[in-house]
Amino acid sequence: MEIPGVHIHLSSFSRHIQPFRHLFREGLDTYIIRLQAEGESEALIDGEMVAVLPGDLLLFRPGEVYDLRIGEKESPLGFSADYYVMCTGEWVDRWWNKQERSKKTRIAEDSKLQSVWQQLILEKRRLDGGSPEILEALFKALCLLLDRAIAEAPASPSASLLLGLKMKSYIEEHATSLLRLEDVARHAGISVTRAVHLFKGKFGCSIMQYAGQIRLAMALQLMDNSNYTLERIAEETGFGSYTYFHRVFRERYGVAPGVYRKRS
């Protein structure tokens, strides 16, 4: 049984080590959402074949001519790899029509987005075709994450801003663990010195200050919506000790965590 609003025809992660071409000369029967993850490909955009590089999101709707070429030109970026989903449905129509959608948009690497995409692929791969309810939930989450990534994409993509967004996503994912500057810089492929200055310049706070903001936001959610002890909340949100959590919380909000919890 398919969910009427969402029909996933195909979804996969593809790696190409041989030349490949995906052509719909007469126009697509489905929507295609494709994210270049590695390497390089070419796609027909507004009548011209253009390079598609890691981080480039392709969006095509039914009826549009689609021409994707891989391996026709030698690339220093190596083999091409991508996530894609071919889909139709009333919900997909509504999502698409909420805003203008460019055929190609450069977005920052987002491990959360790719994780949801991987779960969608695995669910669709099941012998029974996957649970319609789970497929719908995963697909809708993917679309909403794509909307956020598109909204945060710079109008004129710069390498430095994309690196900043890449670090920002990594911090959000790992804020509750032992986060080191070296790990953030390594994820972006740059030195610690450059990572520190680039992040501060783009977002107005340091890497560790941003991680602290994420931890405090998570702590507030747990204090309002769980019965966890304050000591456990300090541990769950990455502060390590209640003493440190108490000091940071009081500096930020002007009251101790226990007083805040009683008030709320």
Side-chain angles (χ1 to χ4, degrees), residues 8-27:
I8 308 297
H9 297 262
L10 289 171
S11 187
S12 187
F13 176 81
S14 297
R15 188 182 300 277
H16 301 275
I17 60 176
Q18 299 292 334
F20 172 81
R21 187 178 185 186
H22 202 191
L23 174 64
F24 288 83
R25 197 184 306 275
E26 303 301 322

Side-chain angles (χ1 to χ4, degrees), residues 34 40 59 89 103 107 128 138 142 202 206:
R34 180 184 182 276
E40 182 177 357
L59 297 174
K103 289 185 173 68
I107 62 175
D128 61 2
L138 289 170
L142 175 64
K202 296 299 180 185
S206 73

Side-chain angles (χ1 to χ4, degrees), residues 28-246:
L28 289 161
D29 296 323
T30 70
Y31 293 94
I32 284 187
I33 303 171
R34 180 184 182 276
L35 177 64
Q36 187 78 23
E38 302 172 25
E40 182 177 357
S41 62
E42 289 184 294
L44 183 66
I45 308 289
D46 298 328
E48 180 182 359
M49 295 303 298
V50 301
V52 181
L53 304 175
D56 281 342
L57 176 70
L58 299 182
L59 297 174
F60 285 79
R61 65 187 308 162
E64 292 181 327
V65 175
Y66 182 74
D67 190 358
L68 177 75
R69 305 177 190 181
I70 296 173
E72 291 191 0
K73 297 179 181 178
E74 190 170 341
S75 171
L77 299 179
F79 298 128
S80 174
D82 62 87
Y83 293 92
Y84 73 88
V85 57
M86 302 178 71
C87 54
T88 55
E90 295 175 4
W91 188 91
V92 190
D93 294 335
R94 292 195 299 272
W95 169 75
W96 187 281
N97 291 323
K98 283 195 307 182
Q99 62 189 58
E100 290 291 325
R101 299 198 181 276
S102 300
K103 289 185 173 68
K104 184 171 81 107
T105 305
R106 174 67 63 85
I107 62 175
E109 181 181 316
D110 187 336
S111 56
K112 296 185 291 296
L113 189 155
Q114 293 186 14
S115 177
V116 170
W117 213 322
Q118 290 163 3
Q119 292 302 313
L120 177 67
I121 291 167
L122 292 174
E123 185 64 26
K124 183 64 178 174
R125 193 178 293 166
R126 289 174 60 91
L127 292 178
D128 61 2
S131 161
E133 290 79 9
I134 294 176
L135 286 171
E136 179 190 32
L138 289 170
F139 179 78
K140 289 182 176 180
L142 175 64
C143 289
L144 295 175
L145 287 169
L146 287 171
D147 279 344
R148 185 169 67 184
I150 291 169
E152 292 180 349
S156 299
S158 67
S160 62
L161 182 53
L162 289 170
L163 285 173
L165 291 171
K166 188 173 183 178
M167 289 190 287
K168 187 169 178 280
S169 176
Y170 183 87
I171 295 165
E172 290 168 353
E173 184 179 359
H174 295 87
T176 59
S177 59
L178 180 61
L179 187 70
R180 302 184 307 165
L181 293 176
E182 292 85 351
D183 298 328
V184 179
R186 186 181 303 112
H187 179 73
I190 56 180
S191 69
V192 172
T193 301
R194 187 182 177 204
V196 168
H197 285 89
L198 190 154
F199 193 91
K200 182 67 177 291
K202 296 299 180 185
F203 302 111
C205 64
S206 73
I207 289 172
M208 289 308 176
Q209 285 172 336
Y210 186 65
Q213 292 172 16
I214 298 296
R215 290 167 178 165
L216 283 172
M218 295 179 67
L220 287 175
Q221 290 178 352
L222 289 175
M223 291 166 72
D224 291 339
N225 301 292
S226 78
N227 293 320
Y228 288 176
T229 65
L230 294 175
E231 288 75 12
R232 182 173 178 184
I233 289 174
E235 181 180 350
E236 292 284 338
T237 53
F239 284 99
S241 70
Y242 175 71
T243 301
Y244 180 55
F245 170 54
H246 182 281

